[in-house]
Amino acid sequence: MNGANTRSGTGLVRLVGAGPGDPELLTVKAARAIAEADVVVFDRLVSGAILDLVPPGTRRIDVGKSTGHHPVPQEAINALLIALARAGHRVVRLKGGDPFLFGRGGEEALALRAAGIGVEVVPGITSAQGCAASLGVPLTHRTLASGVRFVTGHARAGAELDLDWDGLADPDTTLVVYMGLASIGAIATQLISAGRGPATAVLAVSRGTLHDQRAVTTTLERLSRETDHLDLPSPTLFIVGEVARLAQSKPVSEHDPCHEPPHRALVAAE
Ligand code: SAH
């Protein structure tokens, strides 16, 4: 099988990226894996519109986690996937965005491999790409950003956020902060201390590519002063850098996957 690492009798788990939300941003391979699965184990970030693609007879298991609240511990998810594969089921482990960008897909793959279970990874469009594209923002640009870095704004329980502040202060690098809703004020303050310009643009995109997407443009300085004025629902992603100024005032897609009201227009934070 293409890309699979099956060993007879041990089963296979497909670790599948669901993309940022819009079902049209699912890959053809992901859609086929969902259609062929016996059981789909999914996260909180997988949109309802994508779950609607799971055939009615297919078993669904919700192992969704919300910040600070873990209904199903990671070890239990790993054990569940192993048990389902050993029972001979065609298992799809569906994760928001790309399974190997944050969200612990790497840990799941390693646990499965250690148990002798074959793992096939189906990449997904990560939310940074979905959010940026929906507002016409290039993450790199010949004159504005020579590179891009994806970082997490979430620290381990009890630990300080320990990012490479000097490296991230480089004005030529676009910075995308995942899981940063609670920490973006502190991140902005640290970036400014490390030398990134206080007027650097920041685009916050909430529920990107979904029918109720919201986007706000602001600056590092404003974020460092107060964060609660953003008042954006989760999930939210932050794009920091001069490219953020190129955001269009309306999402680019004409298509409304959920047949609901059009996306909310971009609003400035002040
Ligand atoms: N594997 C996922 C990321 C998981 S971490 C991916 O590749 O996208 C969860 C974080 O992803 C959220 O806190 C948020 O920062 C971001 N995120 C996921 N979906 C999003 C969406 N539709 N809009 C905005 N941010 C999103």
Side-chain angles (χ1 to χ4, degrees):
M1 186 180 293
N2 189 12
N5 175 26
T6 38
R7 277 175 251 170
S8 61
T10 58
L12 170 73
V13 171
R14 286 185 167 141
L15 201 48
V16 177
D22 177 352
E24 292 220 319
L25 294 177
L26 210 54
T27 64
V28 174
K29 199 165 192 165
R32 185 168 57 78
I34 292 169
E36 291 174 356
D38 299 317
V39 50
V40 173
V41 180
F42 65 95
D43 274 344
R44 183 178 53 95
L45 278 175
V46 176
S47 71
I50 284 172
L51 290 176
D52 286 347
L53 301 176
V54 177
T58 305
R59 190 171 158 204
R60 299 160 186 226
I61 303 178
D62 180 358
V63 292
K65 300 185 277 265
S66 49
T67 307
H69 181 242
H70 292 241
V72 183
Q74 188 61 51
E75 294 67 29
I77 296 174
N78 298 349
L80 172 70
L81 295 172
I82 291 166
L84 288 168
R86 284 195 176 141
H89 299 299
R90 285 169 298 182
V91 184
V92 161
R93 172 65 171 122
L94 196 54
K95 296 180 83 75
D98 180 86
F100 276 0
L101 268 172
F102 307 117
R104 306 184 74 170
E107 289 171 50
E108 291 177 15
L110 291 180
L112 288 162
R113 276 190 229 161
I117 309 288
V119 181
E120 181 184 6
V121 181
V122 179
I125 292 180
T126 189
S127 45
Q129 295 171 300
C131 291
S134 78
L135 291 159
V137 171
L139 291 173
T140 66
H141 181 280
R142 202 162 55 87
T143 57
L144 298 175
S146 59
V148 57
R149 284 181 71 176
F150 294 166
V151 297
T152 172
H154 180 75
R156 282 171 183 266
E160 291 267 308
L161 200 60
D162 183 22
L163 296 176
D164 162 28
W165 300 112
D166 289 337
L168 298 178
D170 172 11
D172 286 334
T173 300
T174 304
L175 179 60
V176 181
V177 183
Y178 289 70
M179 294 176 274
L181 211 42
S183 57
I184 194 65
I187 290 173
T189 304
Q190 293 267 22
L191 287 173
I192 294 170
S193 311
R196 194 128 191 185
T200 302
V202 181
L203 176 65
V205 186
S206 169
R207 297 183 55 76
T209 80
L210 293 163
H211 65 85
D212 55 351
Q213 168 172 325
R214 287 175 61 193
V216 172
T217 47
T218 182
T219 62
L220 282 182
E221 186 176 30
R222 277 187 249 159
L223 284 173
S224 70
R225 281 197 266 115
E226 57 170 329
T227 51
D228 56 2
H229 68 292
L230 280 177
D231 189 27
L232 289 171
S234 183
T236 293
L237 181 101
F238 296 88
I239 300 175
V240 181
E242 290 316 304
V243 293
R245 292 194 194 286
L246 304 181
Q248 300 193 350
S249 59
K250 280 202 176 120
V252 181
S253 176
E254 293 277 301
H255 175 67
D256 173 12
C258 304
H259 307 291
E260 290 196 22
H263 298 70
R264 293 266 301 261
L266 191 80
V267 286
E270 272 186 1

